[in-house]
């Protein structure tokens, strides 16, 4: 099992760091899955995460100048590692002016991802900073726990409002309540609602648009009354974390609501896609 | 100075005004000596044959509060007068501002003994001098909350900085960051090969910000682990010293800086892990007398004082009412867990007593 990668371009490094920062905001610990072409950051829906799960996928070619990977076996050419994304985020944070960043899987005392940053310096040789991030290697028998979640049979699919606006609304609502209700219909309308003993607040969004899915996916939504709202009551903190982690406006941002079951968020950027599932509170 | 301690010691001397601070665990001391030339007027007062120049200490926060907003001070204050009035028990700070406005602050002070750490830069085996900027750029890679850092020398004359992982932390869960600086980034390097010291980063950061702001090169004097590290800044009118205790660690002598991995210290046996007391007892009884001072504080006197004197110091050294600083624990008690270390229970030497010693 080997892994070596190198980023030389500053823009790529910056972009990669931003993605890691987003992941770090969503998960304390997550799985990094490495394949020949892609990297995946996976959070499975265990009780410890409050039932939320995440699937983030990026093509390594868009970020790395060099990328070599050898999985556990020839027919299973993948590596699954458990790590704390905050460590990776910290390692990359101060590397923004680096000449090169190399990432390598090592196992001197314990398995680590070694991030080696070559920094410019006034002297003849560069400054080298290494960060050894401890990782756990996930054995192949557990790989099934981390499969890509399928798009649920949703009732309504709708594009999200401008994330910055949504974020500031949710942040204020977070001060009032621990739970938030997201409801939306197929006429492009979405409401964010909180209700406590003292106060209830609703923010209405209109003309958001509903994404066109292929016929096969929209089984629950077919023949549905366009005005009828599908709703789910979710943990407001999870929603706030998702919105706070978005540092750049995605190319496409939408959510699928399964009435009273789960909300599935999809955020697409040019080089990375992020899916986040927040279950409804019973 | 406020990063070190809560009290500001003012000591006028013939060679200038000395401002000093010490931390609650007596493991960090800093002094700033402003030469008479720094001031427009400097009158240290007169010392008679029986009396010394008057010294006092004030609350750091009260003193800092007067100088709260530097930018507005720079714009409005023309002169600042500092006056010690022993009979009125007041330290007077008078700011002469624009438009004829004078702000007078009267601070209550406490008389105190001379606060002085015993240290000698000449006796240090190793010395590094670097522009503050280089060190600031090095330190930025470590998280702001990091307590201790290890400075070491490595192959090719390179100097390394690595975050120190406490023994109690699980090595397989802690991220280790290491930075390597080439010799030519320093203005001067005179180090004993293979040497390391571990000291408190937080207290060092304070001095580093000052050095950066004043654009002065910083010199680091160090010796073996356990002996204090001394940071100095020199200017024509200002002399700064920061003295920090370093972790006394027998294993660190054999530790090679280029080794990957976190803690090189073998874990204490499991049955001792929970039972600190019996572990300490076991260590004390198994270790014979060691030449090295057992505690990471720097010795107040040379190693063999009269036994009774050592005990007396220990009683006074237990500063009443000051709970041990968290960092104190990591410098002192944390290292007890290392096997092979002599226990430090009894002779806890302090660098400066604050009651009438002699």
């Amino acid at each position: 099992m080997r892994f070596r990668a190198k980023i030389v371009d500053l823009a790529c490094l910056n972009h990669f760091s931003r993605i890691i920062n987003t992941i770090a905001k969503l998960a304390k610990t997550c799985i990094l899955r490495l394949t020949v072409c892609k990297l995946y950051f996976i959070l499975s829906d265990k009780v410890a995460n409050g039932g939320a799960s995440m699937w983030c996928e990026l093509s390594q070619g868009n970020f790395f100048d060099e990328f070599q990977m050898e999985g556990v076996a020839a027919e299973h050419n993948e590596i699954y590692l458990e790590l704390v994304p905050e460590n990776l985020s910290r390692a990359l944070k101060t590397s923004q002016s680096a000449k090169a960043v190399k990432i390598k899987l090592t196992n001197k005392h314990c398995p680590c991802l070694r991030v080696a940053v070559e920094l410019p310096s006034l002297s003849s040789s560069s400054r080298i900073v290494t960060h050894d991030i401890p990782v756990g290697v996930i054995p192949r028998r557990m790989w099934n726990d981390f499969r890509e979640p399928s798009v649920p049979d949703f009732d309504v699919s709708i594009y999200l409002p401008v994330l910055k606006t949504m974020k500031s609304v949710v942040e204020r609502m977070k001060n009032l309540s621990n739970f938030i209700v997201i409801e939306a219909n197929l006429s492009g309308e979405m409401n964010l609602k909180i209700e406590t003993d003292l106060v209830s607040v609703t923010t209405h969004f209109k003309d958001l648009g509903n994404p066109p899915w292929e016929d096969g996916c929209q089984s629950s939504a077919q023949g549905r009354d366009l005005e009828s709202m599908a709703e789910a009551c979710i943990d407001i903190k999870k929603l706030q974390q998702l919105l706070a982690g978005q540092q750049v406006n995605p190319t496409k941002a939408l959510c699928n609501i399964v009435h009273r079951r789960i909300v599935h968020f999809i955020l697409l950027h040019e080089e990375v896609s992020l899916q986040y599932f927040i279950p409804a509170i019973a | 100075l406020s990063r070190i301690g809560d009290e500001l010691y003012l000591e006028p001397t013939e060679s200038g005004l000395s401002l000093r601070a010490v931390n609650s665990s007596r493991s960090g001391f800093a002094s700033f000596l402003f030469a008479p030339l720094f001031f427009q007027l400097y009158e240290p007062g007169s010392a008679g044959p029986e009396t010394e120049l008057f010294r006092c200490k004030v609350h750091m926060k009260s003193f800092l509060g007067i100088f709260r907003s530097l930018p507005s001070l720079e714009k409005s204050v023309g002169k600042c007068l500092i006056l010690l009035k022993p009979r009125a028990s007041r330290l007077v700070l008078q700011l002469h501002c624009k438009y004829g406005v004078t702000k007078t602050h009267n601070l209550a002070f406490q008389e105190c003994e001379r606060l002085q750490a015993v240290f000698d830069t000449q006796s240090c085996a190793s010395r590094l001098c670097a522009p503050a900027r280089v060190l600031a750029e090095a330190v930025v890679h470590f998280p702001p909350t990091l307590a201790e850092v290890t400075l070491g020398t490595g192959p090719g004359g390179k100097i390394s900085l690595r975050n120190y992982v406490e023994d109690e932390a699980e090595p397989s869960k802690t991220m280790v960051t290491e930075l390597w600086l080439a010799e030519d980034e320093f203005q001067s390097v005179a180090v004993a090969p293979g040497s390391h010291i571990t000291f408190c980063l937080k207290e060092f950061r304070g001095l580093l910000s000052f050095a950066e702001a004043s654009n002065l090169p910083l010199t680091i004097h160090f010796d073996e682990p356990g002996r204090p590290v001394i940071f100095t800044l020199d200017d024509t009118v200002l002399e700064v010293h920061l003295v920090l205790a370093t972790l006394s660690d027998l294993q660190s002598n054999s530790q090679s800086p280029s080794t990957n991995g976190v803690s090189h210290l073998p874990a204490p046996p499991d049955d001792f892990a929970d039972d600190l007391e019996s572990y300490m007892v076991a260590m004390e009884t198994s270790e014979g007398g060691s030449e090295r001072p057992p505690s990471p504080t720097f010795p107040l006197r040379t190693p063999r004082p009269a036994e009774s004197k050592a005990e007396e110091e220990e009683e006074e050294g237990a500063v009443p009412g000051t709970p041990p600083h968290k960092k104190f624990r990591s410098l002192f008690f944390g290292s007890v867990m290392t096997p092979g270390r002599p226990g430090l229970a009894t002779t806890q030497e302090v660098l400066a007593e604050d009651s009438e010693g002699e």
Side-chain angles (χ1 to χ4, degrees):
Chain A
M1 205 168 42
R2 267 181 14 116
F3 171 58
R4 259 174 207 271
K6 184 161 137 182
I7 303 180
V8 165
D9 181 71
L10 277 183
C12 293
L13 176 61
N14 196 271
H15 195 173
F16 188 68
S17 306
R18 275 189 273 121
I19 295 170
I20 304 297
N21 291 342
T22 305
I23 304 290
K25 291 216 165 74
L26 292 175
K28 200 154 161 258
T29 311
C30 74
I31 304 294
L32 168 61
R33 174 184 169 199
L34 301 165
T35 67
V36 171
C37 304
K38 292 192 180 199
L39 285 92
Y40 303 81
F41 290 94
I42 306 167
L43 184 66
S44 67
D45 57 354
K46 303 222 171 58
V47 173
N49 307 325
S53 56
M54 168 187 76
W55 181 272
C56 176
E57 194 176 306
L58 29 112
S59 295
Q60 58 92 346
N62 288 329
F63 301 91
F64 296 91
D65 291 274
E66 281 171 32
F67 193 91
Q68 295 158 25
M69 192 222 81
E70 256 171 50
V72 290
E75 62 276 13
H76 300 284
N77 198 16
E78 302 188 1
I79 299 176
Y80 283 65
L81 300 171
E82 183 177 36
L83 54 70
V84 172
E86 174 64 32
N87 284 339
L88 189 51
S89 176
R90 270 206 351 240
L92 296 173
K93 196 159 88 146
T94 48
S95 325
Q96 296 310 307
S97 58
K99 283 155 77 167
V101 173
K102 292 189 198 160
I103 306 181
K104 191 168 108 161
L105 186 57
T106 65
N107 189 6
K108 296 248 173 84
H109 286 81
C110 60
C112 278
L113 262 185
R114 168 167 274 210
V115 178
V117 183
E118 198 184 324
L119 293 161
S121 77
L122 292 177
S123 84
S124 50
S125 45
S126 311
R127 266 179 223 159
I128 311 275
V129 186
T130 55
H131 302 268
D132 286 332
I133 301 168
V135 296
V137 178
I138 306 286
R140 198 156 59 74
R141 61 173 191 279
M142 291 176 63
W143 288 6
N144 275 331
D145 291 351
F146 307 109
R147 276 174 305 184
E148 178 168 6
S150 44
V151 177
D153 225 359
F154 54 81
D155 296 302
V156 167
S157 176
I158 188 167
Y159 287 114
L160 294 177
V162 172
L163 288 191
K164 210 168 129 194
T165 312
M166 199 174 165
K167 181 176 97 140
S168 64
V169 167
V170 171
E171 271 176 1
R172 288 200 189 98
M173 287 181 164
K174 185 162 152 275
N175 294 331
L176 298 170
S177 167
N178 289 331
F179 304 107
I180 186 171
V181 172
I182 299 188
E183 61 175 22
N185 63 21
L186 289 171
S187 306
E189 290 172 344
M190 174 191 277
N191 299 328
L192 297 174
K193 303 193 295 198
I194 54 162
E195 194 171 314
T196 67
D197 291 337
L198 295 175
V199 66
S200 63
V201 182
T202 308
T203 303
H204 305 265
F205 296 94
K206 287 188 169 49
D207 298 327
L208 293 173
N210 301 90
W213 286 81
E214 285 161 9
D215 285 331
C217 297
Q218 267 192 308
S219 45
S220 299
Q222 263 169 1
R224 189 192 164 82
D225 169 25
L226 294 180
E227 304 288 320
S228 150
M229 292 278 182
E231 66 167 44
C233 178
I234 59 174
D235 179 348
I236 201 173
K237 205 157 151 242
K238 295 248 172 311
L239 179 58
Q240 187 263 335
Q241 279 169 348
L242 174 66
L243 297 170
Q246 298 307 304
Q247 292 163 318
V248 178
N249 267 331
T251 323
K252 273 204 168 79
L254 57 108
C255 76
N256 300 326
I257 304 178
V258 180
H259 186 65
R260 299 216 172 129
R261 294 289 299 280
I262 197 164
V263 184
H264 173 209
F265 293 90
I266 304 179
L267 301 166
L268 296 172
H269 296 81
E270 266 170 37
E271 287 130 2
V272 58
S273 74
L274 174 66
Q275 296 180 57
Y276 196 60
F277 297 79
I278 307 181
I281 313 287
Chain B
L1 284 168
S2 69
R3 306 269 186 105
I4 311 282
D6 294 327
E7 289 177 321
L8 178 65
Y9 289 72
L10 291 106
E11 189 167 337
T13 69
E14 291 302 328
S15 38
L17 175 65
S18 181
L19 299 179
R20 300 171 183 201
V22 68
N23 69 12
S24 54
S25 52
R26 302 332 218 183
S27 58
F29 164 90
S31 83
F32 284 69
L33 177 66
F34 294 92
L37 277 179
F38 179 83
F39 304 96
Q40 212 175 30
L41 167 72
Y42 181 67
E43 277 168 18
S46 47
E50 291 300 307
T51 60
E52 294 178 302
L53 288 177
F54 195 81
R55 294 185 282 266
C56 69
K57 60 179 180 178
V58 296
H59 279 300
M60 190 70 75
K61 283 208 172 108
S62 316
F63 196 92
L64 277 180
I66 299 169
F67 300 96
R68 189 170 294 129
S69 163
L70 276 182
S72 71
L73 282 179
E74 276 173 15
K75 278 189 228 153
S76 56
V77 177
K79 277 196 299 204
C80 171
L81 172 66
I82 305 179
L83 197 56
L84 201 48
K85 284 186 174 173
R87 273 163 309 188
S89 297
R90 288 286 179 268
L91 176 71
V92 180
L93 274 101
Q94 214 172 51
L95 300 173
H96 294 251
C97 313
K98 280 200 294 203
Y99 313 119
V101 173
T102 307
K103 293 191 211 175
T104 307
H105 300 263
N106 295 297
L107 295 176
F109 63 72
Q110 270 183 287
E111 286 183 37
C112 59
E113 277 302 302
R114 190 153 185 255
L115 179 71
Q116 177 62 62
V118 177
F119 58 90
D120 180 14
T121 56
Q122 299 303 315
S123 68
C124 288
S126 306
R127 201 193 65 225
L128 290 169
C129 181
R133 184 194 43 85
V134 167
L135 294 170
E137 283 169 3
V139 148
V140 83
H141 296 279
F142 298 93
T145 50
L146 179 63
E148 284 113 19
V149 76
T150 303
L151 172 72
T153 57
K158 286 192 183 250
I159 309 294
S160 81
L161 270 179
R162 173 155 39 101
N163 63 316
Y164 176 75
V165 180
E166 287 174 39
D167 298 336
E168 290 112 41
E170 270 190 58
S172 59
K173 292 225 164 105
T174 319
M175 178 161 132
V176 173
T177 300
E178 188 160 28
L179 166 81
W180 292 94
L181 294 167
E183 224 180 305
D184 55 3
E185 298 225 54
F186 292 83
Q187 285 176 351
S188 81
V189 176
V191 296
S195 51
H196 313 255
I197 43 157
T198 300
F199 56 87
C200 177
L201 181 58
K202 276 192 192 155
E203 290 172 338
F204 174 59
R205 280 187 199 264
L207 181 68
L208 194 51
S209 323
F210 181 85
E212 250 196 311
S214 17
N215 212 3
L216 291 169
L218 196 89
T219 308
I220 309 177
H221 307 262
F222 61 99
D223 205 79
E224 297 169 335
R227 301 208 38 85
V229 55
I230 305 148
F231 303 91
T232 59
L233 294 174
D234 272 302
D235 185 72
T236 44
V237 289
L238 175 60
E239 230 178 80
V240 186
H241 289 94
L242 170 66
V243 190
L244 295 179
T246 64
L247 205 51
S248 166
D249 195 335
L250 298 179
Q251 263 83 346
S252 73
N253 284 334
S254 54
Q255 197 180 42
S256 150
S258 57
T259 318
N260 182 16
V262 294
S263 173
H264 297 266
L265 313 169
D270 278 328
D271 45 315
F272 283 147
D274 294 325
D275 193 355
L276 177 59
E277 279 193 10
S278 68
Y279 187 80
M280 278 176 69
V281 167
M283 282 303 107
E284 277 173 57
T285 51
S286 63
E287 282 297 311
S290 161
E291 289 307 308
R292 191 191 305 284
S295 97
T297 51
F298 21 103
L300 184 54
R301 318 256 185 284
T302 50
R304 296 299 102 169
E307 287 311 296
S308 56
K309 186 80 189 205
E311 279 164 32
E312 199 190 299
E313 281 163 24
E314 189 224 347
E315 275 160 33
E316 290 163 350
V319 179
T322 329
H325 198 270
K326 175 186 157 262
K327 163 183 62 60
F328 173 87
R329 182 191 155 71
S330 69
L331 280 180
F332 296 87
F333 298 127
S335 56
V336 172
M337 292 298 279
T338 325
R341 274 215 67 242
L344 53 72
T346 49
T347 48
Q348 197 164 270
E349 296 159 309
V350 295
L351 68 95
E353 314 112 354
D354 51 3
S355 48
E356 308 264 300
E358 279 86 23

